[in-house]
Amino acid sequence: SQTIHQWPATLVQPVGSPLSLECTVEGTSNPNLYWYRQAAGRGLQLLFYSVGIGQISSEVPQNLSASRPQDRQFILSSKKLLLSDSGFYLCAWSGGSKKDTQYFGPGTRLTVL
Amino acid sequence: AQSVTQPDIHITVSEGASLELRCNYSYGATPYLFWYVQSPGQGLQLLLKYFSGDTLVQGIKGFEAEFKRSQSSFNLRKPSVHWSDAAEYFCAVALNTGNQFYFGTGTSLTVIP
């Protein structure tokens, strides 16, 4: 069966520090991968998605970037965090077909102070 | 532009009462439709999905949803709510083009004894 992992689960970082969040998927190959941000009391905002290694699509201009160095690894990064980067970050995967369900990881709670 | 609307930000129901959460979408063709549930601090869990066929779909935890093309709606229902159903519920739409999901802003459910 497929599983999706995210780490760390919780992170507290000062403003201006770098960020690296990691997401890995097991039990499937060539998945579509997604990064979402969920601000407090708000819905999900799609940040990036990837249909293959090295292929990243950005949905909104922002302080963040994403990379996919391996088939089942998706990384969310920032060189300098802003206060507004605080939130709950969710990684998801789908099978690649247009109607495939997205399955979500447990999330990372990021607090920027 | 495509959109997903969940008009109820917050709903409170008594344990044992019936529940209906509303979801409307704006899209020219019938999309693929999903409901997810999120417990505090957790990722999203798929409750049910509709691709085609029978417009009444059954999901996990006793939930069901009905697709109504004429109303562009996909409302989630449960005949008798349990205290453990308290959570955030998200409706999502996947289009038959591209690889993206569009999420509603969510409905927060409180269950009172």
Side-chain angles (χ1 to χ4, degrees), chain B residues 43-82:
Chain B
L44 276 69
Q45 180 183 21
L46 179 70
L47 284 176
L48 48 78
K49 57 188 177 183
Y50 172 78
F51 290 162
S52 64
D54 191 347
T55 56
L56 183 65
V57 294
Q58 302 297 320
I60 62 171
K61 303 185 179 186
F63 285 92
E64 66 178 27
E66 185 173 14
F67 168 60
K68 292 186 177 180
R69 185 190 307 273
S70 62
Q71 299 177 19
S72 296
S73 70
F74 189 55
N75 294 350
L76 182 71
R77 300 195 295 249
K78 186 170 184 177
S80 178
V81 171
H82 188 261

Side-chain angles (χ1 to χ4, degrees), chain B residues 7-112:
Chain B
D8 303 305
I9 296 174
H10 186 243
I11 285 181
T12 299
V13 298
S14 299
E15 190 168 16
S18 62
L19 172 71
E20 182 169 31
L21 303 182
R22 296 182 290 166
C23 174
N24 292 92
Y25 65 89
S26 172
Y27 182 58
T30 300
Y32 308 121
L33 300 159
F34 305 80
W35 274 100
Y36 289 85
V37 61
Q38 183 182 33
S39 297
Q42 303 296 315
L44 276 69
Q45 180 183 21
L46 179 70
L47 284 176
L48 48 78
K49 57 188 177 183
Y50 172 78
F51 290 162
S52 64
D54 191 347
T55 56
L56 183 65
V57 294
Q58 302 297 320
I60 62 171
K61 303 185 179 186
F63 285 92
E64 66 178 27
E66 185 173 14
F67 168 60
K68 292 186 177 180
R69 185 190 307 273
S70 62
Q71 299 177 19
S72 296
S73 70
F74 189 55
N75 294 350
L76 182 71
R77 300 195 295 249
K78 186 170 184 177
S80 178
V81 171
H82 188 261
W83 64 266
S84 60
D85 293 324
E88 189 89 14
Y89 291 80
F90 292 94
C91 180
V93 162
L95 307 181
N96 57 13
T97 58
N99 295 284
Q100 299 180 35
F101 271 38
Y102 296 90
F103 282 87
T105 51
T107 297
S108 177
L109 174 66
T110 297
V111 180
I112 56 177

Side-chain angles (χ1 to χ4, degrees), chain A residues 5-67:
Chain A
H5 305 279
Q6 286 186 247
W7 62 88
T10 306
L11 190 61
V12 180
Q13 292 284 91
V15 170
S17 64
L19 173 72
S20 181
L21 302 182
E22 188 165 345
C23 171
T24 59
V25 181
E26 296 177 356
T28 186
S29 59
N30 196 31
N32 284 358
L33 296 172
Y34 308 82
W35 277 113
Y36 290 87
R37 176 168 58 204
Q38 188 177 26
R42 303 180 69 178
L44 283 78
Q45 179 186 34
L46 179 63
L47 302 175
F48 301 95
Y49 71 92
S50 171
V51 299
I53 295 174
Q55 300 179 63
I56 309 295
S57 296
S58 175
E59 287 302 296
V60 293
Q62 59 203 309
N63 185 43
L64 302 168
S65 62
S67 63

